Amino acid sequence: MGKSREEKINDYIQQDPFAQFLGAEVEVLGPGHSRATLTVNDDMVNFHGITHGGVIFSLGDIAFAAASNSYGQTAVALNVGINFLNATKSGDRLIAEAIEHSQSGPMALYDISIKNDRTGQIVAKSQDLVYRKKEWFVPNNEVN
């Protein structure tokens, strides 16, 4: 028996080369939802010795991409607004959770929270807007 549609979507999303390069993992994936993790290493800190904002942004973007593409339909970011709230350092494990907040036509709004697993503190919050193209990377037989 072949793989389910959900397994095919998950397999596709797990092939993200940039996530693999960073060592980030999408650990939870469901319709409009994902959770991604990353352990900060010494190469991911800035000249102050704290996690580079680009790393935090990237982890949130990985979670956002996974959640917004979780339906098997190609989705691309239109806008991302992020607020950095607490610093982290090498060795900290970050958890980014993306949740679909609303959907209207081809656009959907996502809330992303990035937390420090060690302290429980919120490291960053973002609100992201996605556009879903009229193409499917895993076809949905119920959609024309």
PDB file of all heavy atoms in Angstrom, residues 116-142:
ATOM      1  N   ASN A 116      12.314  29.516  23.897  1.00  0.00           N
ATOM      2  CA  ASN A 116      13.525  28.858  24.381  1.00  0.00           C
ATOM      3  C   ASN A 116      13.058  27.648  25.184  1.00  0.00           C
ATOM      4  O   ASN A 116      12.363  27.798  26.192  1.00  0.00           O
ATOM      5  CB  ASN A 116      14.325  29.827  25.252  1.00  0.00           C
ATOM      6  CG  ASN A 116      15.630  29.251  25.736  1.00  0.00           C
ATOM      7  OD1 ASN A 116      15.774  28.050  25.934  1.00  0.00           O
ATOM      8  ND2 ASN A 116      16.592  30.132  25.954  1.00  0.00           N
ATOM      9  N   ASP A 117      13.417  26.462  24.747  1.00  0.00           N
ATOM     10  CA  ASP A 117      12.971  25.237  25.411  1.00  0.00           C
ATOM     11  C   ASP A 117      13.495  25.140  26.838  1.00  0.00           C
ATOM     12  O   ASP A 117      12.822  24.603  27.716  1.00  0.00           O
ATOM     13  CB  ASP A 117      13.414  24.023  24.591  1.00  0.00           C
ATOM     14  CG  ASP A 117      12.771  22.730  25.040  1.00  0.00           C
ATOM     15  OD1 ASP A 117      11.586  22.750  25.435  1.00  0.00           O
ATOM     16  OD2 ASP A 117      13.447  21.680  24.984  1.00  0.00           O
ATOM     17  N   ARG A 118      14.672  25.690  27.096  1.00  0.00           N
ATOM     18  CA  ARG A 118      15.289  25.605  28.420  1.00  0.00           C
ATOM     19  C   ARG A 118      14.573  26.487  29.444  1.00  0.00           C
ATOM     20  O   ARG A 118      14.305  26.067  30.564  1.00  0.00           O
ATOM     21  CB  ARG A 118      16.768  25.992  28.326  1.00  0.00           C
ATOM     22  CG  ARG A 118      17.551  25.933  29.637  1.00  0.00           C
ATOM     23  CD  ARG A 118      19.014  26.299  29.427  1.00  0.00           C
ATOM     24  NE  ARG A 118      19.215  27.555  28.720  1.00  0.00           N
ATOM     25  CZ  ARG A 118      19.191  28.758  29.305  1.00  0.00           C
ATOM     26  NH1 ARG A 118      18.957  28.873  30.590  1.00  0.00           N
ATOM     27  NH2 ARG A 118      19.413  29.852  28.590  1.00  0.00           N
ATOM     28  N   THR A 119      14.220  27.713  29.037  1.00  0.00           N
ATOM     29  CA  THR A 119      13.636  28.676  29.979  1.00  0.00           C
ATOM     30  C   THR A 119      12.131  28.829  29.835  1.00  0.00           C
ATOM     31  O   THR A 119      11.475  29.346  30.736  1.00  0.00           O
ATOM     32  CB  THR A 119      14.258  30.071  29.776  1.00  0.00           C
ATOM     33  OG1 THR A 119      13.895  30.560  28.479  1.00  0.00           O
ATOM     34  CG2 THR A 119      15.771  30.034  29.939  1.00  0.00           C
ATOM     35  N   GLY A 120      11.599  28.438  28.688  1.00  0.00           N
ATOM     36  CA  GLY A 120      10.178  28.633  28.422  1.00  0.00           C
ATOM     37  C   GLY A 120       9.846  30.045  27.949  1.00  0.00           C
ATOM     38  O   GLY A 120       8.696  30.342  27.638  1.00  0.00           O
ATOM     39  N   GLN A 121      10.839  30.922  27.910  1.00  0.00           N
ATOM     40  CA  GLN A 121      10.613  32.302  27.485  1.00  0.00           C
ATOM     41  C   GLN A 121      10.301  32.388  26.003  1.00  0.00           C
ATOM     42  O   GLN A 121      10.875  31.648  25.192  1.00  0.00           O
ATOM     43  CB  GLN A 121      11.841  33.172  27.751  1.00  0.00           C
ATOM     44  CG  GLN A 121      12.058  33.547  29.179  1.00  0.00           C
ATOM     45  CD  GLN A 121      13.219  34.525  29.308  1.00  0.00           C
ATOM     46  OE1 GLN A 121      14.266  34.344  28.699  1.00  0.00           O
ATOM     47  NE2 GLN A 121      13.016  35.559  30.104  1.00  0.00           N
ATOM     48  N   ILE A 122       9.439  33.328  25.649  1.00  0.00           N
ATOM     49  CA  ILE A 122       9.195  33.622  24.246  1.00  0.00           C
ATOM     50  C   ILE A 122      10.363  34.445  23.733  1.00  0.00           C
ATOM     51  O   ILE A 122      10.702  35.486  24.298  1.00  0.00           O
ATOM     52  CB  ILE A 122       7.863  34.357  24.048  1.00  0.00           C
ATOM     53  CG1 ILE A 122       6.700  33.446  24.451  1.00  0.00           C
ATOM     54  CG2 ILE A 122       7.713  34.807  22.592  1.00  0.00           C
ATOM     55  CD1 ILE A 122       5.350  34.103  24.383  1.00  0.00           C
ATOM     56  N   VAL A 123      11.005  33.959  22.707  1.00  0.00           N
ATOM     57  CA  VAL A 123      12.175  34.599  22.116  1.00  0.00           C
ATOM     58  C   VAL A 123      11.739  35.605  21.054  1.00  0.00           C
ATOM     59  O   VAL A 123      12.286  36.698  20.945  1.00  0.00           O
ATOM     60  CB  VAL A 123      13.109  33.533  21.495  1.00  0.00           C
ATOM     61  CG1 VAL A 123      14.255  34.168  20.739  1.00  0.00           C
ATOM     62  CG2 VAL A 123      13.609  32.583  22.580  1.00  0.00           C
ATOM     63  N   ALA A 124      10.725  35.229  20.258  1.00  0.00           N
ATOM     64  CA  ALA A 124      10.234  36.100  19.199  1.00  0.00           C
ATOM     65  C   ALA A 124       8.805  35.710  18.849  1.00  0.00           C
ATOM     66  O   ALA A 124       8.388  34.572  19.064  1.00  0.00           O
ATOM     67  CB  ALA A 124      11.120  36.011  17.970  1.00  0.00           C
ATOM     68  N   LYS A 125       8.081  36.689  18.313  1.00  0.00           N
ATOM     69  CA  LYS A 125       6.721  36.464  17.807  1.00  0.00           C
ATOM     70  C   LYS A 125       6.654  37.092  16.430  1.00  0.00           C
ATOM     71  O   LYS A 125       7.213  38.158  16.206  1.00  0.00           O
ATOM     72  CB  LYS A 125       5.672  37.139  18.691  1.00  0.00           C
ATOM     73  CG  LYS A 125       5.526  36.594  20.087  1.00  0.00           C
ATOM     74  CD  LYS A 125       4.620  35.422  20.190  1.00  0.00           C
ATOM     75  CE  LYS A 125       3.185  35.779  19.925  1.00  0.00           C
ATOM     76  NZ  LYS A 125       2.296  34.634  20.000  1.00  0.00           N
ATOM     77  N   SER A 126       5.966  36.423  15.530  1.00  0.00           N
ATOM     78  CA  SER A 126       5.756  37.027  14.218  1.00  0.00           C
ATOM     79  C   SER A 126       4.357  36.725  13.724  1.00  0.00           C
ATOM     80  O   SER A 126       3.714  35.767  14.152  1.00  0.00           O
ATOM     81  CB  SER A 126       6.810  36.571  13.205  1.00  0.00           C
ATOM     82  OG  SER A 126       6.651  35.224  12.857  1.00  0.00           O
ATOM     83  N   GLN A 127       3.913  37.591  12.840  1.00  0.00           N
ATOM     84  CA  GLN A 127       2.637  37.401  12.162  1.00  0.00           C
ATOM     85  C   GLN A 127       2.956  37.426  10.676  1.00  0.00           C
ATOM     86  O   GLN A 127       3.561  38.386  10.181  1.00  0.00           O
ATOM     87  CB  GLN A 127       1.649  38.495  12.540  1.00  0.00           C
ATOM     88  CG  GLN A 127       0.246  38.176  12.113  1.00  0.00           C
ATOM     89  CD  GLN A 127      -0.741  39.159  12.670  1.00  0.00           C
ATOM     90  OE1 GLN A 127      -0.689  40.329  12.334  1.00  0.00           O
ATOM     91  NE2 GLN A 127      -1.625  38.678  13.524  1.00  0.00           N
ATOM     92  N   ASP A 128       2.568  36.364   9.957  1.00  0.00           N
ATOM     93  CA  ASP A 128       3.012  36.151   8.598  1.00  0.00           C
ATOM     94  C   ASP A 128       1.826  35.933   7.664  1.00  0.00           C
ATOM     95  O   ASP A 128       0.874  35.228   8.014  1.00  0.00           O
ATOM     96  CB  ASP A 128       3.928  34.924   8.535  1.00  0.00           C
ATOM     97  CG  ASP A 128       5.111  35.011   9.501  1.00  0.00           C
ATOM     98  OD1 ASP A 128       5.215  35.991  10.258  1.00  0.00           O
ATOM     99  OD2 ASP A 128       5.931  34.091   9.496  1.00  0.00           O
ATOM    100  N   LEU A 129       1.914  36.510   6.486  1.00  0.00           N
ATOM    101  CA  LEU A 129       0.865  36.394   5.486  1.00  0.00           C
ATOM    102  C   LEU A 129       1.377  35.556   4.314  1.00  0.00           C
ATOM    103  O   LEU A 129       2.488  35.768   3.826  1.00  0.00           O
ATOM    104  CB  LEU A 129       0.467  37.787   4.983  1.00  0.00           C
ATOM    105  CG  LEU A 129      -0.682  37.866   3.984  1.00  0.00           C
ATOM    106  CD1 LEU A 129      -1.995  37.405   4.637  1.00  0.00           C
ATOM    107  CD2 LEU A 129      -0.819  39.298   3.470  1.00  0.00           C
ATOM    108  N   VAL A 130       0.551  34.605   3.877  1.00  0.00           N
ATOM    109  CA  VAL A 130       0.929  33.697   2.796  1.00  0.00           C
ATOM    110  C   VAL A 130      -0.078  33.799   1.655  1.00  0.00           C
ATOM    111  O   VAL A 130      -1.244  34.107   1.869  1.00  0.00           O
ATOM    112  CB  VAL A 130       1.020  32.237   3.309  1.00  0.00           C
ATOM    113  CG1 VAL A 130      -0.341  31.663   3.624  1.00  0.00           C
ATOM    114  CG2 VAL A 130       1.741  31.342   2.332  1.00  0.00           C
ATOM    115  N   TYR A 131       0.439  33.538   0.450  1.00  0.00           N
ATOM    116  CA  TYR A 131      -0.409  33.434  -0.744  1.00  0.00           C
ATOM    117  C   TYR A 131      -0.302  32.009  -1.257  1.00  0.00           C
ATOM    118  O   TYR A 131       0.807  31.506  -1.468  1.00  0.00           O
ATOM    119  CB  TYR A 131       0.054  34.419  -1.824  1.00  0.00           C
ATOM    120  CG  TYR A 131      -0.700  34.267  -3.121  1.00  0.00           C
ATOM    121  CD1 TYR A 131      -1.966  34.816  -3.269  1.00  0.00           C
ATOM    122  CD2 TYR A 131      -0.154  33.556  -4.185  1.00  0.00           C
ATOM    123  CE1 TYR A 131      -2.674  34.671  -4.455  1.00  0.00           C
ATOM    124  CE2 TYR A 131      -0.848  33.403  -5.378  1.00  0.00           C
ATOM    125  CZ  TYR A 131      -2.111  33.963  -5.498  1.00  0.00           C
ATOM    126  OH  TYR A 131      -2.805  33.812  -6.667  1.00  0.00           O
ATOM    127  N   ARG A 132      -1.449  31.373  -1.468  1.00  0.00           N
ATOM    128  CA  ARG A 132      -1.459  30.011  -2.008  1.00  0.00           C
ATOM    129  C   ARG A 132      -1.700  30.073  -3.512  1.00  0.00           C
ATOM    130  O   ARG A 132      -2.715  30.581  -3.965  1.00  0.00           O
ATOM    131  CB  ARG A 132      -2.524  29.165  -1.316  1.00  0.00           C
ATOM    132  CG  ARG A 132      -2.154  28.878   0.119  1.00  0.00           C
ATOM    133  CD  ARG A 132      -2.929  27.720   0.717  1.00  0.00           C
ATOM    134  NE  ARG A 132      -2.435  27.469   2.047  1.00  0.00           N
ATOM    135  CZ  ARG A 132      -3.027  27.925   3.155  1.00  0.00           C
ATOM    136  NH1 ARG A 132      -4.122  28.626   3.082  1.00  0.00           N
ATOM    137  NH2 ARG A 132      -2.495  27.662   4.336  1.00  0.00           N
ATOM    138  N   LYS A 133      -0.731  29.526  -4.245  1.00  0.00           N
ATOM    139  CA  LYS A 133      -0.814  29.501  -5.704  1.00  0.00           C
ATOM    140  C   LYS A 133      -1.807  28.431  -6.150  1.00  0.00           C
ATOM    141  O   LYS A 133      -2.180  27.550  -5.372  1.00  0.00           O
ATOM    142  CB  LYS A 133       0.573  29.210  -6.286  1.00  0.00           C
ATOM    143  CG  LYS A 133       1.602  30.262  -5.923  1.00  0.00           C
ATOM    144  CD  LYS A 133       2.982  29.814  -6.325  1.00  0.00           C
ATOM    145  CE  LYS A 133       3.417  30.642  -7.482  1.00  0.00           C
ATOM    146  NZ  LYS A 133       4.724  30.238  -8.007  1.00  0.00           N
ATOM    147  N   LYS A 134      -2.181  28.494  -7.398  1.00  0.00           N
ATOM    148  CA  LYS A 134      -3.103  27.500  -7.961  1.00  0.00           C
ATOM    149  C   LYS A 134      -2.313  26.302  -8.474  1.00  0.00           C
ATOM    150  O   LYS A 134      -2.479  25.863  -9.612  1.00  0.00           O
ATOM    151  CB  LYS A 134      -3.934  28.120  -9.073  1.00  0.00           C
ATOM    152  CG  LYS A 134      -4.903  29.166  -8.579  1.00  0.00           C
ATOM    153  CD  LYS A 134      -5.712  29.750  -9.704  1.00  0.00           C
ATOM    154  CE  LYS A 134      -6.653  30.810  -9.144  1.00  0.00           C
ATOM    155  NZ  LYS A 134      -7.410  31.475 -10.205  1.00  0.00           N
ATOM    156  N   GLU A 135      -1.417  25.802  -7.632  1.00  0.00           N
ATOM    157  CA  GLU A 135      -0.648  24.609  -7.978  1.00  0.00           C
ATOM    158  C   GLU A 135      -0.457  23.760  -6.729  1.00  0.00           C
ATOM    159  O   GLU A 135      -0.394  24.282  -5.621  1.00  0.00           O
ATOM    160  CB  GLU A 135       0.694  24.969  -8.627  1.00  0.00           C
ATOM    161  CG  GLU A 135       1.648  25.703  -7.726  1.00  0.00           C
ATOM    162  CD  GLU A 135       2.927  26.138  -8.445  1.00  0.00           C
ATOM    163  OE1 GLU A 135       2.833  26.740  -9.533  1.00  0.00           O
ATOM    164  OE2 GLU A 135       4.005  25.873  -7.902  1.00  0.00           O
ATOM    165  N   TRP A 136      -0.392  22.471  -6.949  1.00  0.00           N
ATOM    166  CA  TRP A 136      -0.292  21.507  -5.866  1.00  0.00           C
ATOM    167  C   TRP A 136       0.985  20.692  -6.045  1.00  0.00           C
ATOM    168  O   TRP A 136       1.227  20.148  -7.115  1.00  0.00           O
ATOM    169  CB  TRP A 136      -1.501  20.573  -5.880  1.00  0.00           C
ATOM    170  CG  TRP A 136      -2.795  21.309  -5.660  1.00  0.00           C
ATOM    171  CD1 TRP A 136      -3.504  22.010  -6.599  1.00  0.00           C
ATOM    172  CD2 TRP A 136      -3.492  21.443  -4.441  1.00  0.00           C
ATOM    173  NE1 TRP A 136      -4.610  22.568  -6.016  1.00  0.00           N
ATOM    174  CE2 TRP A 136      -4.634  22.233  -4.683  1.00  0.00           C
ATOM    175  CE3 TRP A 136      -3.270  20.974  -3.148  1.00  0.00           C
ATOM    176  CZ2 TRP A 136      -5.549  22.565  -3.706  1.00  0.00           C
ATOM    177  CZ3 TRP A 136      -4.191  21.300  -2.160  1.00  0.00           C
ATOM    178  CH2 TRP A 136      -5.307  22.083  -2.440  1.00  0.00           C
ATOM    179  N   PHE A 137       1.797  20.583  -5.000  1.00  0.00           N
ATOM    180  CA  PHE A 137       2.967  19.707  -5.077  1.00  0.00           C
ATOM    181  C   PHE A 137       2.601  18.288  -4.676  1.00  0.00           C
ATOM    182  O   PHE A 137       3.312  17.346  -4.998  1.00  0.00           O
ATOM    183  CB  PHE A 137       4.158  20.264  -4.278  1.00  0.00           C
ATOM    184  CG  PHE A 137       3.897  20.478  -2.815  1.00  0.00           C
ATOM    185  CD1 PHE A 137       4.110  19.470  -1.899  1.00  0.00           C
ATOM    186  CD2 PHE A 137       3.457  21.713  -2.355  1.00  0.00           C
ATOM    187  CE1 PHE A 137       3.881  19.665  -0.550  1.00  0.00           C
ATOM    188  CE2 PHE A 137       3.233  21.928  -1.009  1.00  0.00           C
ATOM    189  CZ  PHE A 137       3.442  20.898  -0.101  1.00  0.00           C
ATOM    190  N   VAL A 138       1.490  18.125  -3.965  1.00  0.00           N
ATOM    191  CA  VAL A 138       0.865  16.819  -3.754  1.00  0.00           C
ATOM    192  C   VAL A 138      -0.598  17.016  -4.130  1.00  0.00           C
ATOM    193  O   VAL A 138      -1.338  17.705  -3.417  1.00  0.00           O
ATOM    194  CB  VAL A 138       0.995  16.328  -2.295  1.00  0.00           C
ATOM    195  CG1 VAL A 138       0.236  15.013  -2.115  1.00  0.00           C
ATOM    196  CG2 VAL A 138       2.464  16.151  -1.899  1.00  0.00           C
ATOM    197  N   PRO A 139      -1.003  16.485  -5.267  1.00  0.00           N
ATOM    198  CA  PRO A 139      -2.357  16.743  -5.759  1.00  0.00           C
ATOM    199  C   PRO A 139      -3.449  16.369  -4.771  1.00  0.00           C
ATOM    200  O   PRO A 139      -3.341  15.370  -4.047  1.00  0.00           O
ATOM    201  CB  PRO A 139      -2.455  15.870  -7.020  1.00  0.00           C
ATOM    202  CG  PRO A 139      -1.037  15.669  -7.430  1.00  0.00           C
ATOM    203  CD  PRO A 139      -0.243  15.641  -6.165  1.00  0.00           C
ATOM    204  N   ASN A 140      -4.463  17.206  -4.750  1.00  0.00           N
ATOM    205  CA  ASN A 140      -5.640  16.959  -3.932  1.00  0.00           C
ATOM    206  C   ASN A 140      -6.753  16.559  -4.891  1.00  0.00           C
ATOM    207  O   ASN A 140      -7.266  17.380  -5.634  1.00  0.00           O
ATOM    208  CB  ASN A 140      -6.021  18.227  -3.156  1.00  0.00           C
ATOM    209  CG  ASN A 140      -7.195  18.003  -2.230  1.00  0.00           C
ATOM    210  OD1 ASN A 140      -7.865  16.969  -2.293  1.00  0.00           O
ATOM    211  ND2 ASN A 140      -7.456  18.966  -1.380  1.00  0.00           N
ATOM    212  N   ASN A 141      -7.125  15.313  -4.861  1.00  0.00           N
ATOM    213  CA  ASN A 141      -8.136  14.797  -5.795  1.00  0.00           C
ATOM    214  C   ASN A 141      -9.512  15.386  -5.562  1.00  0.00           C
ATOM    215  O   ASN A 141     -10.382  15.271  -6.403  1.00  0.00           O
ATOM    216  CB  ASN A 141      -8.186  13.267  -5.720  1.00  0.00           C
ATOM    217  CG  ASN A 141      -6.875  12.643  -6.150  1.00  0.00           C
ATOM    218  OD1 ASN A 141      -6.139  13.218  -6.931  1.00  0.00           O
ATOM    219  ND2 ASN A 141      -6.563  11.484  -5.614  1.00  0.00           N
ATOM    220  N   GLU A 142      -9.710  16.021  -4.396  1.00  0.00           N
ATOM    221  CA  GLU A 142     -11.017  16.600  -4.093  1.00  0.00           C
ATOM    222  C   GLU A 142     -11.136  18.029  -4.625  1.00  0.00           C
ATOM    223  O   GLU A 142     -12.201  18.603  -4.595  1.00  0.00           O
ATOM    224  CB  GLU A 142     -11.252  16.607  -2.581  1.00  0.00           C
ATOM    225  CG  GLU A 142     -11.260  15.209  -1.992  1.00  0.00           C
ATOM    226  CD  GLU A 142     -11.317  15.209  -0.488  1.00  0.00           C
ATOM    227  OE1 GLU A 142     -11.556  16.273   0.104  1.00  0.00           O
ATOM    228  OE2 GLU A 142     -11.112  14.142   0.100  1.00  0.00           O
TER     229      GLU A 142
END
